[in-house]
């Protein structure tokens, strides 16, 4: 029996969580957005409003749709606020122990027939599912960044995911107007299995002095027609997330070709995580981004 999804919970209100809340609310679903602090949630609501307003200005949506979408989103700092959701999508940081703790706390209050999903970029869905009380109702729903603009969502079944959960997730993603690519549950799935080694190689290219930041990005934008250069894209994704994905690939596939570039490690250790901390391969604190090497 397929589960009817009317109310969606989103855990983590960073760039991906607020994007998921945005598209779900625009599609007419009720949304409960959860994060660890009121400050984070306020800033996420302001971002969602800003992104909806841009869509109004570009005549993609109406002013009425913007208002109604915002009214459909409530925010909460507690797991209790998510208890009656039909689907909860976890989109907190790419750290397995953080996600496992979230699922533990969530399952203690969430209604038993609800579906639990993760927006993880790389971590095993089967392993995450095993940390819940409902592996058959657990699934990977992997959105792309920026969520309101990107067409694709990957769906990943864990070993125990049942057909009703898979069908409900398909129906949900289709309702959001997104296309689906189904991936088997292997490290980093499809998009990041291909994209992240390319980004990591761009960082090695910088590390080994083959080119500077501007040359590498210009090369791939103008020479391969990528919409963003790989270093600009790394900053956009978040260097902490890029590193976590490379670590999952390296550990999960045990192949040295996935070794994270030491320069990526250094940036993350410095807390230079890209756009979200205003510094990464570019410095975003001025009027326009300036390369940091
Ligand atoms: C890591 C993972 O697990 C998986 C991933 O997501 S990997 C990353 C996948 N994403 C990509 O590869 C993105 C590559 N980049 C692109 O496709 C394009 O640069 C882009 C679609 C992001 C923007 O396209 P663009 O037209 O050149 O950008 P730009 O003119 O700056 O923005 C166009 C509109 O996009 C929207 N937009 C841009 N960034 C946005 C964001 N972060 N959130 C919401 N909307 C955004 C705005 O509405 C903007 O309109 P304005 O003109 O009002 O600013
Ligand atoms: N960035 C990308 O391009 C993509 C990322 N993803 C995946 O989406 C997830 C989120 O990434 P992204 O949005 O970029 O990351 P961000 O760093 O932008 O946001 C993560 C958010 O989760 C919050 N958070 C941390 N711990 C908890 C918790 N215990 N409970 C609730 N919220 C918490 C963080 O708060 P605080 O900062 O205060 O700790 C922050 O607001 C990751 O799994 C990532 O791999 C998937 C597709 C694309």
């Amino acid at each position: 029996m397929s589960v009817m999804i009317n109310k969606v919970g989103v855990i983590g209100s960073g760039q991906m969580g607020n994007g998921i809340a945005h598209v779900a609310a625009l599609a007419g679903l009720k949304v409960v957005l959860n994060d660890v602090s009121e400050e984070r949630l306020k800033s996420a609501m302001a971002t969602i409003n800003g992104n909806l307003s841009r869509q109004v200005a570009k005549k993609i949506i109406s002013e009425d749709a913007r208002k109604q979408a915002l009214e459909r989103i409530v925010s909460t700092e507690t797991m209790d606020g998510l208890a009656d959701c039909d689907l909860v999508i976890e989109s907190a940081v790419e750290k397995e122990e953080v996600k496992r703790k979230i699922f533990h706390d969530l399952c203690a209050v969430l209604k038993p027939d609800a579906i639990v999903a993760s927006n993880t970029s790389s971590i095993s869905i089967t392993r995450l599912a095993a940390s819940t009380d409902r592996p058959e109702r657990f699934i990977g729903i992997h959105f792309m960044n920026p969520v309101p603009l990107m067409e694709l969502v990957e769906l990943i079944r864990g070993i125990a995911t049942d057909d009703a959960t898979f069908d409900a997730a398909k129906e949900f993603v289709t309702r959001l107007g997104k296309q689906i690519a189904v991936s088997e549950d292997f490290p980093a799935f499809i998009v990041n299995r291909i994209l992240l080694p390319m980004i990591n190689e761009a960082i090695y290219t910088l590390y080994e002095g083959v080119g500077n930041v501007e040359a590498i990005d210009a090369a791939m934008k103008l020479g391969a027609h990528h919409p963003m250069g790989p270093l600009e894209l790394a900053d956009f994704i978040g260097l902490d997330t890029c590193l976590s994905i490379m670590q999952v690939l390296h550990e999960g596939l045990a192949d040295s070709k996935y070794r994270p570039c030491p320069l990526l490690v250094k940036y993350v250790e410095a807390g230079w995580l890209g756009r979200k901390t205003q510094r990464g391969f570019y410095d975003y604190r001025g009027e326009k981004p300036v390369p940091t090497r």
Side-chain angles (χ1 to χ4, degrees), residues 11-18 34-37 40 79 90-95 98-99 101-102 118-123 142-145 192 236-238 240-241 245 276:
I11 300 179
S13 67
Q15 55 181 341
M16 293 307 292
N18 75 54
N34 165 277
D35 207 308
V36 283
S37 77
R40 277 266 168 211
M79 286 291 174
E90 171 279 319
S91 190
V93 283
E94 190 71 350
K95 294 272 172 247
V98 174
K99 293 186 187 298
K101 166 85 169 61
I102 287 173
S118 176
N119 183 44
T120 177
S121 294
S122 59
I123 302 167
H142 181 216
F143 289 82
M144 303 295 139
N145 186 14
N192 289 333
F236 184 62
I237 292 169
D240 52 341
T241 302
I245 297 168
K276 62 184 165 190

Side-chain angles (χ1 to χ4, degrees), residues 126-142:
T126 298
R127 218 162 54 226
L128 290 176
S131 72
T132 73
D133 60 357
R134 62 195 82 192
E136 69 288 351
R137 279 192 296 285
F138 190 95
I139 190 162
I141 306 184
H142 181 216

